[in-house]
Short mmCIF file of all heavy atoms in Angstrom, two decimals:
data_model
loop_
_atom_site.label_atom_id
_atom_site.label_comp_id
_atom_site.label_asym_id
_atom_site.label_seq_id
_atom_site.Cartn_x
_atom_site.Cartn_y
_atom_site.Cartn_z
N GLY A 1 110.39 130.99 124.52
CA GLY A 1 111.66 130.34 124.80
C GLY A 1 112.74 130.86 123.89
O GLY A 1 112.65 131.95 123.34
N PRO A 2 113.79 130.07 123.72
CA PRO A 2 114.88 130.47 122.84
C PRO A 2 114.40 130.64 121.40
O PRO A 2 113.35 130.11 121.02
CB PRO A 2 115.87 129.30 122.95
CG PRO A 2 115.48 128.56 124.18
CD PRO A 2 114.01 128.76 124.33
N LEU A 3 115.17 131.35 120.61
CA LEU A 3 114.83 131.54 119.21
C LEU A 3 114.74 130.18 118.52
O LEU A 3 115.63 129.33 118.70
CB LEU A 3 115.91 132.38 118.53
CG LEU A 3 115.63 132.84 117.10
CD1 LEU A 3 114.49 133.85 117.09
CD2 LEU A 3 116.89 133.46 116.49
N PRO A 4 113.66 129.92 117.77
CA PRO A 4 113.54 128.62 117.09
C PRO A 4 114.71 128.39 116.15
O PRO A 4 115.29 129.34 115.62
CB PRO A 4 112.23 128.76 116.30
CG PRO A 4 111.49 129.86 116.97
CD PRO A 4 112.53 130.80 117.50
N PRO A 5 115.07 127.14 115.91
CA PRO A 5 116.15 126.86 114.96
C PRO A 5 115.80 127.37 113.57
O PRO A 5 114.63 127.51 113.22
CB PRO A 5 116.27 125.33 114.99
CG PRO A 5 114.98 124.84 115.55
CD PRO A 5 114.49 125.93 116.47
N GLN A 6 116.82 127.63 112.79
CA GLN A 6 116.61 128.24 111.48
C GLN A 6 115.72 127.40 110.59
O GLN A 6 114.86 127.93 109.88
CB GLN A 6 117.96 128.47 110.79
CG GLN A 6 117.87 129.31 109.52
CD GLN A 6 117.45 130.74 109.81
OE1 GLN A 6 117.98 131.37 110.74
NE2 GLN A 6 116.50 131.27 109.07
N TRP A 7 115.87 126.08 110.61
CA TRP A 7 115.04 125.24 109.74
C TRP A 7 113.57 125.40 110.07
O TRP A 7 112.73 125.40 109.18
CB TRP A 7 115.46 123.76 109.85
CG TRP A 7 115.11 123.09 111.15
CD1 TRP A 7 115.92 122.89 112.22
CD2 TRP A 7 113.84 122.53 111.52
NE1 TRP A 7 115.26 122.26 113.24
CE2 TRP A 7 113.98 122.02 112.83
CE3 TRP A 7 112.60 122.42 110.87
CZ2 TRP A 7 112.92 121.40 113.52
CZ3 TRP A 7 111.55 121.80 111.55
CH2 TRP A 7 111.72 121.29 112.85
N ARG A 8 113.27 125.56 111.34
CA ARG A 8 111.88 125.68 111.75
C ARG A 8 111.29 127.00 111.27
O ARG A 8 110.17 127.07 110.77
CB ARG A 8 111.76 125.57 113.27
CG ARG A 8 110.34 125.41 113.78
CD ARG A 8 110.31 125.35 115.30
NE ARG A 8 110.98 124.19 115.84
CZ ARG A 8 110.37 123.04 116.13
NH1 ARG A 8 109.07 122.90 115.93
NH2 ARG A 8 111.06 122.03 116.64
N ARG A 9 112.07 128.06 111.41
CA ARG A 9 111.60 129.38 110.95
C ARG A 9 111.44 129.41 109.43
O ARG A 9 110.46 129.94 108.91
CB ARG A 9 112.57 130.47 111.42
CG ARG A 9 112.47 130.78 112.91
CD ARG A 9 113.48 131.83 113.31
NE ARG A 9 114.81 131.24 113.47
CZ ARG A 9 115.95 131.91 113.35
NH1 ARG A 9 115.93 133.20 113.02
NH2 ARG A 9 117.11 131.32 113.55
N ASP A 10 112.41 128.83 108.72
CA ASP A 10 112.34 128.84 107.26
C ASP A 10 111.18 127.99 106.75
O ASP A 10 110.48 128.37 105.80
CB ASP A 10 113.65 128.34 106.67
CG ASP A 10 114.80 129.32 106.88
OD1 ASP A 10 114.53 130.48 107.22
OD2 ASP A 10 115.97 128.91 106.69
N ALA A 11 110.97 126.83 107.37
CA ALA A 11 109.86 125.97 106.96
C ALA A 11 108.52 126.64 107.22
O ALA A 11 107.60 126.58 106.40
CB ALA A 11 109.93 124.63 107.70
N SER A 12 108.42 127.31 108.36
CA SER A 12 107.19 128.01 108.71
C SER A 12 106.87 129.09 107.68
O SER A 12 105.74 129.18 107.18
CB SER A 12 107.34 128.63 110.09
OG SER A 12 106.24 129.48 110.39
N ALA A 13 107.86 129.90 107.35
CA ALA A 13 107.64 130.98 106.38
C ALA A 13 107.29 130.42 105.01
O ALA A 13 106.40 130.94 104.32
CB ALA A 13 108.89 131.85 106.29
N ALA A 14 107.96 129.35 104.61
CA ALA A 14 107.71 128.78 103.29
C ALA A 14 106.31 128.16 103.20
O ALA A 14 105.62 128.29 102.18
CB ALA A 14 108.77 127.74 102.95
N LEU A 15 105.87 127.50 104.27
CA LEU A 15 104.53 126.91 104.27
C LEU A 15 103.45 127.99 104.22
O LEU A 15 102.42 127.82 103.58
CB LEU A 15 104.34 126.01 105.48
CG LEU A 15 104.96 124.62 105.37
CD1 LEU A 15 104.89 123.91 106.71
CD2 LEU A 15 104.29 123.79 104.29
N ASP A 16 103.68 129.08 104.92
CA ASP A 16 102.73 130.19 104.86
C ASP A 16 102.64 130.74 103.43
O ASP A 16 101.55 131.03 102.93
CB ASP A 16 103.14 131.31 105.81
CG ASP A 16 102.58 131.13 107.21
OD1 ASP A 16 101.62 130.34 107.37
OD2 ASP A 16 103.09 131.77 108.15
N GLN A 17 103.80 130.90 102.80
CA GLN A 17 103.81 131.40 101.43
C GLN A 17 103.13 130.41 100.49
O GLN A 17 102.38 130.80 99.59
CB GLN A 17 105.23 131.68 100.96
CG GLN A 17 105.28 132.31 99.57
CD GLN A 17 106.69 132.56 99.09
OE1 GLN A 17 107.63 131.88 99.51
NE2 GLN A 17 106.86 133.52 98.20
N TYR A 18 103.40 129.13 100.71
CA TYR A 18 102.76 128.10 99.88
C TYR A 18 101.24 128.18 99.98
O TYR A 18 100.54 128.20 98.97
CB TYR A 18 103.22 126.71 100.29
CG TYR A 18 102.33 125.63 99.75
CD1 TYR A 18 102.32 125.33 98.39
CD2 TYR A 18 101.42 124.97 100.58
CE1 TYR A 18 101.46 124.38 97.88
CE2 TYR A 18 100.56 124.02 100.08
CZ TYR A 18 100.58 123.73 98.72
OH TYR A 18 99.70 122.80 98.21
N ARG A 19 100.73 128.22 101.19
CA ARG A 19 99.27 128.24 101.38
C ARG A 19 98.64 129.45 100.69
O ARG A 19 97.65 129.32 99.97
CB ARG A 19 98.93 128.25 102.86
CG ARG A 19 97.43 128.27 103.14
CD ARG A 19 97.11 128.33 104.59
NE ARG A 19 97.71 129.48 105.25
CZ ARG A 19 97.34 129.92 106.46
NH1 ARG A 19 96.39 129.31 107.12
NH2 ARG A 19 97.93 130.97 107.00
N HIS A 20 99.24 130.60 100.91
CA HIS A 20 98.71 131.83 100.32
C HIS A 20 98.73 131.74 98.79
O HIS A 20 97.72 132.04 98.12
CB HIS A 20 99.52 133.03 100.80
CG HIS A 20 99.11 134.32 100.17
ND1 HIS A 20 97.98 135.02 100.57
CD2 HIS A 20 99.66 135.05 99.16
CE1 HIS A 20 97.86 136.11 99.84
NE2 HIS A 20 98.85 136.16 98.98
N ALA A 21 99.86 131.33 98.23
CA ALA A 21 99.99 131.30 96.77
C ALA A 21 99.07 130.25 96.16
O ALA A 21 98.45 130.48 95.11
CB ALA A 21 101.44 131.03 96.38
N TRP A 22 98.95 129.09 96.79
CA TRP A 22 98.09 128.05 96.25
C TRP A 22 96.64 128.52 96.18
O TRP A 22 95.97 128.38 95.15
CB TRP A 22 98.19 126.77 97.08
CG TRP A 22 97.17 125.74 96.67
CD1 TRP A 22 95.94 125.54 97.20
CD2 TRP A 22 97.29 124.84 95.57
NE1 TRP A 22 95.28 124.54 96.54
CE2 TRP A 22 96.09 124.09 95.52
CE3 TRP A 22 98.28 124.56 94.64
CZ2 TRP A 22 95.85 123.10 94.58
CZ3 TRP A 22 98.06 123.56 93.70
CH2 TRP A 22 96.86 122.85 93.67
N LEU A 23 96.14 129.06 97.26
CA LEU A 23 94.75 129.48 97.29
C LEU A 23 94.50 130.63 96.32
O LEU A 23 93.40 130.75 95.78
CB LEU A 23 94.36 129.89 98.72
CG LEU A 23 94.31 128.73 99.74
CD1 LEU A 23 94.13 129.29 101.15
CD2 LEU A 23 93.20 127.74 99.40
N ARG A 24 95.50 131.45 96.10
CA ARG A 24 95.37 132.55 95.15
C ARG A 24 95.49 132.09 93.70
O ARG A 24 95.24 132.87 92.78
CB ARG A 24 96.43 133.60 95.44
CG ARG A 24 96.28 134.31 96.76
CD ARG A 24 95.28 135.42 96.72
NE ARG A 24 95.74 136.52 95.87
CZ ARG A 24 94.98 137.56 95.55
NH1 ARG A 24 93.73 137.63 95.98
NH2 ARG A 24 95.46 138.53 94.80
N GLY A 25 95.86 130.86 93.48
CA GLY A 25 96.02 130.35 92.12
C GLY A 25 97.36 130.66 91.51
O GLY A 25 97.51 130.60 90.28
N GLU A 26 98.36 130.97 92.33
CA GLU A 26 99.69 131.30 91.85
C GLU A 26 100.55 130.04 91.92
O GLU A 26 101.34 129.83 92.84
CB GLU A 26 100.26 132.46 92.67
CG GLU A 26 99.40 133.72 92.54
CD GLU A 26 99.69 134.76 93.62
OE1 GLU A 26 100.49 134.48 94.54
OE2 GLU A 26 99.09 135.85 93.55
N SER A 27 100.41 129.20 90.91
CA SER A 27 100.93 127.84 90.97
C SER A 27 102.45 127.78 91.07
O SER A 27 103.00 126.99 91.84
CB SER A 27 100.48 127.06 89.72
OG SER A 27 99.08 127.02 89.65
N ARG A 28 103.16 128.57 90.28
CA ARG A 28 104.62 128.49 90.27
C ARG A 28 105.18 128.91 91.63
O ARG A 28 106.06 128.23 92.17
CB ARG A 28 105.19 129.38 89.17
CG ARG A 28 106.71 129.37 89.07
CD ARG A 28 107.20 130.27 87.96
NE ARG A 28 106.78 131.65 88.16
CZ ARG A 28 107.42 132.52 88.96
NH1 ARG A 28 108.49 132.13 89.63
NH2 ARG A 28 106.99 133.75 89.07
N ILE A 29 104.68 130.00 92.17
CA ILE A 29 105.14 130.46 93.48
C ILE A 29 104.83 129.42 94.55
O ILE A 29 105.65 129.13 95.43
CB ILE A 29 104.49 131.81 93.83
CG1 ILE A 29 104.94 132.88 92.84
CG2 ILE A 29 104.81 132.22 95.27
CD1 ILE A 29 104.22 134.20 93.00
N ALA A 30 103.64 128.84 94.48
CA ALA A 30 103.24 127.83 95.46
C ALA A 30 104.16 126.63 95.43
O ALA A 30 104.62 126.14 96.48
CB ALA A 30 101.80 127.40 95.21
N GLU A 31 104.47 126.13 94.25
CA GLU A 31 105.32 124.95 94.14
C GLU A 31 106.71 125.22 94.67
O GLU A 31 107.30 124.39 95.37
CB GLU A 31 105.38 124.48 92.68
CG GLU A 31 106.10 123.16 92.48
CD GLU A 31 105.47 122.01 93.24
OE1 GLU A 31 104.23 122.03 93.45
OE2 GLU A 31 106.22 121.09 93.65
N GLN A 32 107.27 126.36 94.34
CA GLN A 32 108.60 126.71 94.82
C GLN A 32 108.62 126.82 96.34
O GLN A 32 109.55 126.34 97.00
CB GLN A 32 109.06 128.02 94.19
CG GLN A 32 109.35 127.92 92.70
CD GLN A 32 109.63 129.27 92.07
OE1 GLN A 32 109.37 130.32 92.66
NE2 GLN A 32 110.16 129.25 90.85
N ALA A 33 107.59 127.44 96.90
CA ALA A 33 107.53 127.58 98.36
C ALA A 33 107.38 126.23 99.04
O ALA A 33 108.01 125.98 100.08
CB ALA A 33 106.36 128.50 98.74
N PHE A 34 106.57 125.36 98.46
CA PHE A 34 106.39 124.05 99.08
C PHE A 34 107.70 123.26 99.07
O PHE A 34 108.04 122.61 100.07
CB PHE A 34 105.30 123.24 98.37
CG PHE A 34 105.07 121.91 99.02
CD1 PHE A 34 104.26 121.82 100.14
CD2 PHE A 34 105.69 120.76 98.55
CE1 PHE A 34 104.08 120.59 100.79
CE2 PHE A 34 105.51 119.54 99.19
CZ PHE A 34 104.69 119.46 100.30
N GLU A 35 108.42 123.30 97.98
CA GLU A 35 109.67 122.56 97.91
C GLU A 35 110.67 123.07 98.93
O GLU A 35 111.43 122.30 99.52
CB GLU A 35 110.24 122.63 96.49
CG GLU A 35 109.45 121.83 95.46
CD GLU A 35 109.27 120.37 95.86
OE1 GLU A 35 110.24 119.78 96.39
OE2 GLU A 35 108.17 119.83 95.67
N ARG A 36 110.70 124.39 99.16
CA ARG A 36 111.58 124.93 100.19
C ARG A 36 111.18 124.42 101.57
O ARG A 36 112.03 124.02 102.37
CB ARG A 36 111.54 126.47 100.18
CG ARG A 36 112.23 127.10 99.00
CD ARG A 36 112.53 128.58 99.27
NE ARG A 36 111.34 129.34 99.62
CZ ARG A 36 110.51 129.90 98.76
NH1 ARG A 36 110.73 129.76 97.45
NH2 ARG A 36 109.46 130.60 99.15
N ALA A 37 109.88 124.44 101.84
CA ALA A 37 109.41 123.97 103.14
C ALA A 37 109.73 122.49 103.34
O ALA A 37 110.22 122.08 104.40
CB ALA A 37 107.90 124.20 103.27
N ARG A 38 109.47 121.70 102.33
CA ARG A 38 109.71 120.27 102.44
C ARG A 38 111.20 119.98 102.65
O ARG A 38 111.57 119.09 103.43
CB ARG A 38 109.20 119.55 101.19
CG ARG A 38 109.07 118.03 101.36
CD ARG A 38 108.68 117.37 100.06
NE ARG A 38 108.22 116.00 100.26
CZ ARG A 38 109.03 114.96 100.47
NH1 ARG A 38 110.33 115.15 100.54
NH2 ARG A 38 108.52 113.74 100.63
N SER A 39 112.04 120.71 101.95
CA SER A 39 113.47 120.51 102.10
C SER A 39 113.93 120.82 103.52
O SER A 39 114.75 120.08 104.10
CB SER A 39 114.22 121.39 101.09
OG SER A 39 115.62 121.30 101.27
N GLU A 40 113.42 121.91 104.09
CA GLU A 40 113.80 122.26 105.46
C GLU A 40 113.33 121.19 106.44
O GLU A 40 114.07 120.81 107.36
CB GLU A 40 113.19 123.62 105.84
CG GLU A 40 113.78 124.80 105.10
CD GLU A 40 115.24 125.04 105.41
OE1 GLU A 40 115.72 124.58 106.48
OE2 GLU A 40 115.92 125.69 104.61
N LEU A 41 112.12 120.70 106.26
CA LEU A 41 111.61 119.67 107.17
C LEU A 41 112.35 118.35 106.99
O LEU A 41 112.63 117.65 107.96
CB LEU A 41 110.10 119.47 106.93
CG LEU A 41 109.24 120.69 107.27
CD1 LEU A 41 107.81 120.47 106.80
CD2 LEU A 41 109.28 120.99 108.76
N ALA A 42 112.69 118.02 105.75
CA ALA A 42 113.43 116.78 105.50
C ALA A 42 114.82 116.82 106.12
O ALA A 42 115.39 115.76 106.45
CB ALA A 42 113.52 116.54 104.00
N SER A 43 115.36 118.01 106.31
CA SER A 43 116.70 118.13 106.90
C SER A 43 116.76 117.59 108.32
O SER A 43 117.83 117.31 108.85
CB SER A 43 117.18 119.58 106.86
OG SER A 43 116.49 120.37 107.82
N THR A 44 115.58 117.45 108.95
CA THR A 44 115.53 116.92 110.32
C THR A 44 115.53 115.39 110.34
O THR A 44 115.69 114.79 111.40
CB THR A 44 114.26 117.40 111.04
OG1 THR A 44 113.10 116.79 110.44
CG2 THR A 44 114.12 118.91 110.96
N GLY A 45 115.27 114.77 109.19
CA GLY A 45 115.16 113.32 109.16
C GLY A 45 113.88 112.80 109.76
O GLY A 45 113.75 111.59 110.01
N SER A 46 112.91 113.67 109.98
CA SER A 46 111.64 113.28 110.60
C SER A 46 110.58 113.03 109.54
O SER A 46 110.10 113.97 108.90
CB SER A 46 111.16 114.36 111.57
OG SER A 46 109.83 114.10 112.00
N ALA A 47 110.21 111.77 109.37
CA ALA A 47 109.16 111.44 108.42
C ALA A 47 107.83 112.07 108.82
O ALA A 47 107.04 112.48 107.97
CB ALA A 47 109.00 109.92 108.31
#
């Protein structure tokens, strides 16, 4: 379909980075990526 909205694309990329970094033991990178993903998702107002 149409190109996904920017928040959806950014959240997707950040969650992927979070998962990879967390499992690799890269804590700082993981935390930063998670906060970016959470912020994008929170922008929708969807709990």
Side-chain angles (χ1 to χ4, degrees):
L3 188 69
Q6 190 66 46
W7 71 262
R8 191 182 296 267
R9 286 178 281 155
D10 290 346
S12 172
L15 281 171
D16 271 343
Q17 184 181 26
Y18 164 71
R19 180 182 57 165
H20 176 78
W22 172 266
L23 292 171
R24 294 279 293 173
E26 298 164 355
S27 300
R28 180 180 59 82
I29 296 172
E31 187 59 30
Q32 291 173 346
F34 182 82
E35 290 305 320
R36 288 197 304 274
R38 196 185 194 283
S39 176
E40 292 295 339
L41 295 172
S43 73
T44 68
S46 170

